[in-house]
């Protein structure tokens, strides 16, 4: 079955299809429709919705609910997500699964409510204190707003780690046809670690405190091993890249713009393709190199090169790859014609 | 201790396997722990209880309490306990917090939890300073009291007054039970025991928020011996923090009704209308822009077009201006439809622009692709040179809507005109179905809007036939 819905509503449909039990959140443009839909859907499905007093409250309620092994989620945008960073670090430290949706708006500071992708580093590199990583998935369509929210829950519970759905205001606000998932995912078994308030889990403890440096180092190392293990779940999409001379790359709505540019460039006779990471953490390193190494690479993003820096980081040093950036900030989308101009320049084609 | 304390682990294996706590001699935490643990054990609640440890001296409550255990971030035990109790509504949830933790950094979380009547017991240990962190001023530090951050004594004109949390919470409607007790002597400990048991009974019975503040000696940071600390607690602290019950609605409180499912996800989402999109590379990608004032139905016009395209099996996206812009200012939306997956949902260079007011006409007309079309109401003066190669099509949508009795249906009139001009690669069947759908909540408007749609079509066709005498006739 299909329905024409906003990306923000698709997130909630995805969460419910994953079996999400509780939603705690604080409203903020352009993520508020997620709270609206959750407020409408959760209670009548016998699930818990609570509008928290602030984002700090929300993320700590998530911490509490996640401690019980329930599927818990929250959603916000830039400033609110910044307020949640301490909680994210605690979730990671205590190895708690939860889904946090960031419908990115502009920054720094209050910025405006337009789309940007400038929370990339915050999401992908940690954001809070300590040696931790969140799982980060990057939807690029309304369908993926739903499907990757489900995937985020799955990965969060598989690795007992917070998972971020990193989308931008375009994806949150736009409408597309959504294929509604069938059924609800099976509930993960959490009795080995969660606190259910019953005899079977009475011995369980949720904490991130390790006073002894050696023990804490061991805990940190175990987390690093886990992050390494996650690498097998890195996913990317390639479009028309087989014979491409130039590979455009971006995630989220920037990838949509790059896709339009790829088609336009092909019409001009330029062999262009698109590499789109679907997981940003773990980053699809192997797929990036298989697609882009040794070619010309044009990064498209709505931020100051944060994603470009990771492309540079992960490309094989030995490969002769030229990487350039076309970007916008402040709430402006990258225009397709700006991408075309940058690509032609790289291909030394005069318009 | 005469009898062996119950409710604790046999040995404190998470600490060092001993049976001694981390607390200093004369500290109140040990007594409060014992009272809580004993109450949980006596009521047979150990298998039903989740205990939330704070940050501070009591950070390691989970060394001792033989229950489910969760360690919260500094200040957040009340928020964490809220999350637990909302996730496990039939369990006993206990938050244990100090005065810096609850009274300062986490005050809003605790206050709001109290105001919602959350289902947990909050034990609030007031020793008038931050103990673990090194004896700094807490919100509960008394006037004139010396701490490491008030070395000359708390100056109430600069540092404020001791925060009376029980009195503040007692202003709220939701809490079931609020009491301030002390553990400074045996008599007081007996009263504390009663209060703690009552707070846990409230949880056992699911009757809402219970709050017990405990005045508790801190010999180490007060730089007093145990005896002097206990005296200080009674003689000095109780002046600022009078003991007593501030709220007791335990008799009349009723458990919060549990959430119950009244529908299913499938029923909620409803029956979808969209068809499976078909890949058809021969179908060109079309970008349309709809623009005007907020309130003119600009976004819903775009939405009807997009929904109709979806019904027709096209790939389609709809992207609006949003936020404050919607409320009064300019509104616009982009619709892209095509025979394959849509790339950018933003329309930089529209094939078709519908402009419903002058600012939007002037803003977007110059962006229209050569060969594209601008549809606008002739009441808007065109005070600029239209871009080369762009067809400017005036259509009297306002008049058509008005003369058909629905002045607000200007957007529907434009929809009819778009269709009649062949600017929508979508059949009327899909358009009318999407139009009807858009008025699902106001069915009385469906027929009226269909009338406007058809009148608009006729107006365009009449104009095309050169029969412009009465283009708005019904």
């Amino acid at each position: 079955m299909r329905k024409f819905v906003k990306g923000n509503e698709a997130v909630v449909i995805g969460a419910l299809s994953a079996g999400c039990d509780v939603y705690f959140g604080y409203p903020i443009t352009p993520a508020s429709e997620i709270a609206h839909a959750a407020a409408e859907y959760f209670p009548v499905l016998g699930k818990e919705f609570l509008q928290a007093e602030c984002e700090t409250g929300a993320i700590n309620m998530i911490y509490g609910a996640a401690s019980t092994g329930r599927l818990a989620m929250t959603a916000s945008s830039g400033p609110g997500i910044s307020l949640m960073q301490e909680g994210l670090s605690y979730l990671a430290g205590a190895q708690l699964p939860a889904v946090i949706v960031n419908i990115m708006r502009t920054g720094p500071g209050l910025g405006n409510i337009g789309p940007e992708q400038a929370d990339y580093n915050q999401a992908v590199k940690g954001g809070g204190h300590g040696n931790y990583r969140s799982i980060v998935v990057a939807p690029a369509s309304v369908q993926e707003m739903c499907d990757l929210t489900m995937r985020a829950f799955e990965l969060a519970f598989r690795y007992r780690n917070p998972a971020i759905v990193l989308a931008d205001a375009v994806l949150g606000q736009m409408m597309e046809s959504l294929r509604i998932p069938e059924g609800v995912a099976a509930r993960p078994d959490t009795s080995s670690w969660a606190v259910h308030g019953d005899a079977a889990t009475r011995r369980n403890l949720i904490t991130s405190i390790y006073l002894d440096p050696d023990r804490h180092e061991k805990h940190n190392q175990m987390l690093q091993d886990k992050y390494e293990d996650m690498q097998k779940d890195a996913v990317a999409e390639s479009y028309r890249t087989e014979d491409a001379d130039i590979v455009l790359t971006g995630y989220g709505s920037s990838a949509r713009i790059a896709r339009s540019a790829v088609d336009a460039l092909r019409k001009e006779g330029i062999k262009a393709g698109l590499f789109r990471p679907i997981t940003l953490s773990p980053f699809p390193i192997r797929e990036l190199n298989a697609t882009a190494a040794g070619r010309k690479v044009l990064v498209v993003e709505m931020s100051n090169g944060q994603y470009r820096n990771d492309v540079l980081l992960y490309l094989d040093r030995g490969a002769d790859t030229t990487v350039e950036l076309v970007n916008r900030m402040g709430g402006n989308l990258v225009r397709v014609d700006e991408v075309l101009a940058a690509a032609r320049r790289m291909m030394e084609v005069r318009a | 201790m005469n009898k062996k304390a119950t409710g604790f682990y046999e040995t404190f294996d998470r600490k060092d396997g001993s049976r001694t706590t981390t607390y200093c001699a004369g500290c109140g935490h040990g007594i409060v722990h014992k009272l809580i643990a004993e109450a949980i054990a006596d009521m047979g609640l150990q298998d039903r209880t989740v205990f939330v440890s704070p940050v501070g001296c009591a950070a390691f409550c989970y060394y001792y309490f033989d229950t489910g255990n969760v360690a919260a971030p500094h200040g957040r035990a009340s928020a964490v306990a809220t999350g637990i109790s909302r996730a496990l509504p039939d369990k006993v949830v206990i938050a244990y917090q100090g005065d810096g933790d609850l009274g300062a950094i986490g005050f809003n979380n605790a206050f709001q939890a109290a105001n919602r009547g959350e289902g947990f017991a909050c034990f609030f240990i007031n020793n008038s300073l931050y103990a673990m962190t090194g004896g700094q001023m807490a919100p509960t530090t008394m006037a004139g009291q010396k701490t490491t951050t008030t070395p000359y004594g708390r100056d109430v004109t600069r540092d404020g007054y001791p925060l009376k949390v029980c009195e503040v919470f007692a202003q709220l409607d939701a809490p079931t039970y609020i009491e301030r007790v002390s553990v400074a002597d045996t008599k007081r400990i007996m009263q504390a025991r009663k209060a703690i048991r009552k707070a846990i009974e409230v949880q056992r019975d699911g009757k809402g928020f219970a709050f017990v503040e405990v005045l508790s000696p801190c010999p180490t940071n007060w730089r007093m011996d145990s005896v002097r600390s206990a005296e200080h607690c009674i003689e000095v602290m109780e002046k600022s923090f009078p003991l007593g019950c501030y709220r007791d609605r335990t008799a009349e409180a009723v458990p919060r009704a549990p959430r119950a499912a009244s529908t299913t996800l499938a029923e909620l989402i409803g029956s979808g209308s969209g068809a499976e999109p078909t890949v058809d590379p021969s179908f060109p990608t079309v970008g349309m822009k709809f623009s005007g004032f907020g309130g003119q139905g600009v976004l819903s016009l775009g939405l009807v077009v997009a929904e109709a395209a979806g019904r027709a099996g096209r790939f389609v996206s709809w992207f609006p201006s949003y936020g404050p812009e919607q409320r009064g200012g300019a509104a616009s939306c982009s619709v892209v439809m095509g025979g394959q997956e849509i790339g950018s949902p933003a329309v930089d260079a529209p094939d078709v622009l519908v402009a419903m007011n002058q600012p939007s006409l002037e803003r977007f007309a110059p962006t229209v692709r050569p060969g594209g079309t601008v549809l606008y109401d002739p009441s808007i003066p065109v005070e600029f040179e239209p871009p080369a190669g762009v067809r400017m099509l005036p259509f009297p949508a306002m008049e058509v809507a008005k003369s058909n009795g629905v002045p607000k249906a200007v957007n529907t009139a434009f929809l009819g005109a778009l269709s009649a001009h062949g600017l929508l690669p979508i059949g009327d069947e899909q358009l009318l179905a999407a139009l009807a759908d858009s008025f699902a909540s106001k069915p009385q408007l469906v027929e009226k809007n269909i009338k406007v749609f058809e009148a608009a079509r006729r107006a365009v066709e009449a104009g095309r036939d050169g029969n412009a005498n009465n283009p708005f006739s019904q």
Side-chain angles (χ1 to χ4, degrees), chain B residues 56-291:
Chain B
C57 289
F60 302 104
C61 283
Y62 59 78
Y63 285 175
Y64 316 117
F65 289 94
D66 185 3
T67 60
N69 277 290
V70 176
H74 182 46
R76 310 304 167 199
S78 283
V80 171
T82 296
I84 296 169
S85 105
R86 294 274 175 155
L88 303 174
D90 54 343
K91 303 299 181 182
V92 171
V93 181
I94 292 171
Y96 191 103
Q97 299 189 255
D99 44 10
D101 187 89
L102 183 143
I105 189 168
F107 187 76
N108 192 36
N109 299 129
F111 179 74
Q112 303 281 350
N115 190 46
R116 291 187 301 258
E118 293 294 346
F120 65 90
C122 185
F123 296 114
F124 170 51
I125 311 305
N126 177 356
N127 59 13
S128 80
L129 41 68
Y130 288 77
M132 170 74 95
T133 314
Q136 294 87 357
M137 181 185 73
T140 48
T141 294
M142 284 164 295
Q145 185 182 345
K146 287 184 178 173
T147 70
T148 51
T149 51
T150 53
Y152 309 109
R154 183 176 192 169
D155 173 358
V156 293
T157 67
R158 294 181 187 277
D159 305 322
Y161 291 82
L163 184 65
K164 300 176 178 184
V165 179
C166 282
E167 287 84 340
V168 173
F169 283 12
Q171 300 306 308
L172 304 173
D173 292 325
T176 302
Y177 176 58
I178 302 170
E179 181 151 353
R180 182 183 289 124
V181 297
S182 164
V183 290
D185 64 15
T186 311
K187 187 184 94 187
R188 285 172 172 78
I189 291 171
M190 291 318 290
Q191 183 55 34
R193 181 174 183 270
K194 274 167 70 178
I196 285 167
R197 293 179 88 86
K198 186 173 243 179
I200 293 172
E201 281 165 10
V202 169
Q203 302 320 308
R204 179 196 63 196
D205 302 336
K207 288 184 168 180
F209 186 75
F211 185 80
V212 178
E213 175 174 344
V214 185
L215 304 187
S216 173
C218 181
T220 302
N221 283 293
W222 291 357
R223 299 176 205 287
M224 299 172 188
D225 63 25
S226 300
V227 175
R228 183 71 201 98
S229 293
E231 286 169 6
H232 176 84
C233 201
I234 293 166
E235 289 160 13
V236 180
M237 280 190 82
E238 285 182 22
K239 285 205 176 72
S240 286
F241 302 107
L243 304 185
C245 182
Y246 290 79
R247 166 76 53 82
D248 189 351
R249 293 184 189 149
T250 51
E252 62 266 32
V254 286
R256 182 186 268 159
R259 297 276 199 201
S262 58
T263 183
T264 63
L265 180 56
E267 273 178 44
L268 258 184
I269 296 170
S271 58
S273 55
E276 202 64 32
T278 333
V279 177
D280 175 8
S282 71
F283 186 88
T285 300
V286 180
M288 308 183 77
K289 190 135 206 151
F290 303 88
S291 59

Side-chain angles (χ1 to χ4, degrees), chain A residues 198-268:
Chain A
D198 62 13
T201 63
R202 183 165 133 191
R203 66 183 185 285
N204 290 347
L205 166 66
I206 304 296
T207 187
S208 60
I209 312 172
Y210 299 91
L211 287 184
D212 175 61
D214 290 335
R215 186 150 174 229
H216 194 37
E217 186 173 48
K218 217 171 133 189
H219 176 67
N220 263 278
Q221 191 52 56
M222 180 273 296
L223 292 178
Q224 307 318 306
D225 294 346
K226 179 169 85 173
Y227 304 146
E228 194 56 41
D229 189 36
M230 285 177 191
Q231 200 59 43
K232 63 177 182 288
D233 282 305
V235 184
E237 179 196 47
S238 295
Y239 174 66
R240 304 181 88 164
T241 52
E242 296 77 10
D243 61 342
D245 296 320
I246 180 167
V247 174
L248 311 192
T249 181
Y251 67 95
S253 55
S254 291
R256 301 279 297 253
I257 289 155
R259 189 186 171 101
S260 288
V262 164
D263 289 342
L265 289 166
R266 287 269 171 180
K267 276 187 191 148
E268 293 176 17

Side-chain angles (χ1 to χ4, degrees), chain B residues 277-348:
Chain B
T278 333
V279 177
D280 175 8
S282 71
F283 186 88
T285 300
V286 180
M288 308 183 77
K289 190 135 206 151
F290 303 88
S291 59
F293 286 126
Q296 280 186 312
V298 172
L299 301 186
S300 51
L301 170 57
L303 197 50
V304 168
V305 169
E307 290 243 25
R311 284 168 181 272
R314 300 302 174 195
F315 292 88
V316 62
S317 67
W318 174 90
F319 176 53
S321 59
Y322 56 88
E325 273 192 56
Q326 281 175 15
R327 295 183 276 276
S332 69
C333 65
S334 298
V335 173
V336 184
M337 64 185 83
Q340 53 190 332
E341 245 178 83
I342 303 300
S344 173
V347 174
D348 302 329

Side-chain angles (χ1 to χ4, degrees), chain B residues 1 8 21 23-24 27-35 96 216:
Chain B
M1 294 183 191
F8 290 135
T21 69
Y23 300 116
C24 309
C27 167
H29 277 305
I31 301 166
V32 180
H33 280 22
K34 183 166 171 281
L35 297 176
Y96 191 103
S216 173

Side-chain angles (χ1 to χ4, degrees), chain A residues 2 48 63 113 175 197 256, chain B residues 14 47 71 86 272 318 322 343:
Chain A
R2 283 185 166 269
E48 196 58 35
Y63 181 96
I113 57 167
M175 293 178 88
R256 301 279 297 253
Chain B
R14 285 183 180 134
D47 286 339
R86 294 274 175 155
W318 174 90
Y322 56 88

